Amino acid sequence: MRLLVVEDDKDLNRQIVSALEQAGYAVDRAFDGEEGCHLGENEPYDAVILDLGLPKLDGVGVLQAWRRAGKAMPVIILTARDRWSDKVQGFDAGADDYVTKPFHMEEILARVRAVLRRAAGHATSELVCGPVRLDTRAGRVTVDGNPVKLTSHEYRLMAYLMHHVGRVVSRTEIVEHLYDQDFDRDSNTIEVFVGRLRRKLGVDVIQTVRGLGYVLQAPTGQP
């Protein structure tokens, strides 16, 4: 899952990005409203963490521009303001959640998991496809209760597929959501990762749809 952090405080930006990357996300960053607005309009993010008090263009203006452009990715607002009117303004502009500074990093991680889960239509932190379970809170994948050891990129791919069970996703889409903007992307590596996942999972849940991409679905007769 690919995220964007728009925060002008360089130390806080770095801390949030580091925590998200350690949790298995691909993360881009911006330090002002104009840069953040541009990235949000042109890159396919799964969720955004957006500060309100930004230079050049404030967070509410950024969010309004995204929503006018039809961008529907979940947005978590960060702000040092704690007045209820500021929160209402953020929600009315299209925010999905709100965190007031100072905060614990675990709260940010939990809220990111929640908005990603809701956006994909899942009710709990555990995603299930047949015998395969992915615990988004623990960052753990199991098959029939047995843990499966995955690399960071294999986990990112598995998490993206698990968030979109039953939907065909192209290799291009997967590449756009697995890597940050500075990564040297190659869609051919996705085929390699899919092959590795199939071997490690040992169950037939990742199907190739010729000419279109891949779909994750439970084996016949399983939920």
Side-chain angles (χ1 to χ4, degrees):
M1 310 296 278
R2 187 178 172 197
L3 311 179
L4 172 64
V5 175
V6 190
E7 165 62 61
D8 63 311
D9 184 317
K10 288 183 169 54
D11 286 337
L12 182 56
N13 192 312
R14 177 184 53 79
Q15 292 168 16
I16 296 172
V17 169
S18 177
L20 291 170
E21 288 178 338
Q22 289 178 26
Y25 301 104
V27 190
D28 292 338
R29 67 192 75 193
F31 299 98
D32 63 65
E34 288 185 358
E35 182 186 16
C37 190
H38 174 76
L39 287 173
E41 287 183 349
N42 292 281
E43 297 292 335
Y45 295 111
D46 295 294
V48 178
I49 297 173
L50 175 68
D51 185 35
L52 282 188
L54 294 168
K56 298 187 179 180
L57 180 62
D58 67 34
V60 170
V62 172
L63 184 50
Q64 289 173 335
W66 286 342
R67 298 314 192 210
R68 284 197 302 269
K71 299 299 179 180
M73 67 280 193
V75 175
I76 300 171
I77 290 291
L78 295 183
T79 183
R81 310 168 189 170
D82 57 3
R83 293 185 305 174
W84 67 266
S85 57
D86 292 321
K87 296 180 180 181
V88 170
Q89 184 182 25
F91 281 122
D92 284 345
D96 297 86
D97 205 349
Y98 217 105
V99 179
T100 302
K101 301 175 185 177
F103 52 81
H104 293 287
M105 206 59 69
E106 282 299 324
E107 180 182 1
I108 290 291
L109 295 175
R111 291 181 183 275
V112 167
R113 291 194 298 267
V115 296
L116 290 173
R117 187 172 68 238
R118 289 197 299 267
H122 298 285
T124 70
S125 61
E126 188 174 67
L127 311 182
V128 180
C129 180
V132 182
R133 293 177 179 269
L134 187 147
D135 186 336
T136 60
R137 183 174 51 190
R140 182 177 59 199
V141 175
T142 59
V143 177
D144 289 325
N146 300 309
V148 179
K149 188 174 182 180
L150 302 177
T151 66
S152 60
H153 283 98
E154 290 166 355
Y155 177 81
R156 286 183 187 179
L157 172 56
M158 193 66 207
Y160 192 75
L161 292 174
M162 289 291 281
H163 274 86
H164 299 90
V165 171
R167 181 170 74 81
V168 177
V169 292
S170 68
R171 287 196 296 181
T172 299
E173 178 183 343
I174 293 172
V175 167
E176 289 177 338
H177 289 266
L178 249 63
Y179 304 119
D180 60 57
Q181 62 179 342
D182 296 327
F183 196 89
D184 184 15
R185 303 172 183 180
D186 181 0
S187 63
N188 292 323
T189 61
I190 299 303
E191 195 170 336
V192 175
F193 289 141
V194 169
R196 290 179 185 173
L197 274 178
R198 284 170 169 158
R199 289 193 296 273
K200 290 186 176 183
L201 295 174
V203 290
D204 191 20
V205 292
I206 305 176
Q207 306 296 323
T208 299
V209 182
R210 190 174 300 276
L212 295 177
Y214 304 99
V215 60
L216 189 75
Q217 54 189 15
T220 303
Q222 296 191 35

